[in-house]
Amino acid sequence: AIVSLAVMATIFYTQFSPIKQAFSPPASSQEPAFSLLVTLEFQDLESKQEFLKFMTPMANYVREKEPTTLSYQVLQSDQDPLQVMILERYADKESAYLKIHKSSAEFLAFRPKLQGLAKDGKVKISGHSYLDEKSVGFMDRH
């Protein structure tokens, strides 16, 4: 009975489950993964803490609601306590980043808060985007 239940669950998942569709890259998509590396240099620790306060719900939302976002991590500089980097990695640029992430209500609420810190001179923002052509190296061991 346990084996039958496992077989039935596997068949359901592979044939009918919307979860499979949500977590699988589109079959027709040949786009490479898309990454953003954004560096934030804060004026003071209070500004950094303010950022972390509104960044935490954003990161939690991305983890829970954006399965095509492969990585979304705030990294702390080991040399400068006022500098952080946001590492963002998406399954592709057009769908995962532009259509899903940038149009989410959470992102649309987050963005003005970060821009407000920049406008007030509390943070300098710089960054670059990259395409993952999978030519050299690896991102994880899975």
Side-chain angles (χ1 to χ4, degrees), residues 10 26 41 58 62-63 76 91 96 113 134 137 140 142:
T10 302
E41 297 178 49
M58 179 68 196
V62 170
R63 178 183 297 127
Q76 173 62 57
K113 294 173 187 175
K134 299 185 191 236
D140 61 40
H142 300 285

Side-chain angles (χ1 to χ4, degrees), residues 2-132:
I2 294 174
V3 173
S4 298
L5 183 58
V7 170
M8 288 173 37
T10 302
I11 290 170
F12 175 79
Y13 174 77
T14 57
Q15 298 300 315
F16 306 108
S17 176
I19 295 170
K20 176 185 183 265
Q21 187 177 25
F23 284 91
S24 300
S28 61
S29 176
Q30 297 300 316
E31 285 190 66
F34 176 75
S35 296
L36 290 175
L37 300 174
V38 181
T39 302
L40 305 173
E41 297 178 49
F42 293 95
Q43 177 184 358
D44 52 43
L45 288 174
E46 293 80 23
S47 300
K48 178 181 159 187
Q49 290 305 315
E50 182 180 349
F51 162 75
L52 291 173
K53 186 175 179 180
F54 64 77
M55 180 61 176
T56 299
M58 179 68 196
N60 291 338
Y61 172 86
V62 170
R63 178 183 297 127
E64 295 170 12
K65 305 290 185 183
E66 295 184 15
T68 56
T69 300
L70 307 175
S71 298
Y72 199 83
Q73 181 78 38
V74 175
L75 306 171
Q76 173 62 57
S77 170
D78 64 345
Q79 298 175 7
D80 182 350
L82 298 178
Q83 184 173 314
V84 301
M85 177 178 283
I86 306 170
L87 183 147
E88 303 175 46
R89 189 164 186 257
Y90 303 91
D92 63 78
K93 183 177 182 179
E94 293 303 317
S95 180
Y97 175 64
L98 293 174
K99 290 181 184 169
I100 296 171
H101 180 71
K102 285 194 76 176
S103 68
S104 72
E106 194 70 31
F107 178 82
L108 295 174
F110 164 83
R111 183 73 176 185
K113 294 173 187 175
L114 181 58
Q115 289 173 331
L117 286 178
K119 183 179 178 183
D120 293 343
K122 295 180 177 183
V123 66
K124 289 185 203 172
I125 305 168
S126 62
H128 297 283
S129 59
Y130 301 89
L131 296 175
D132 178 358

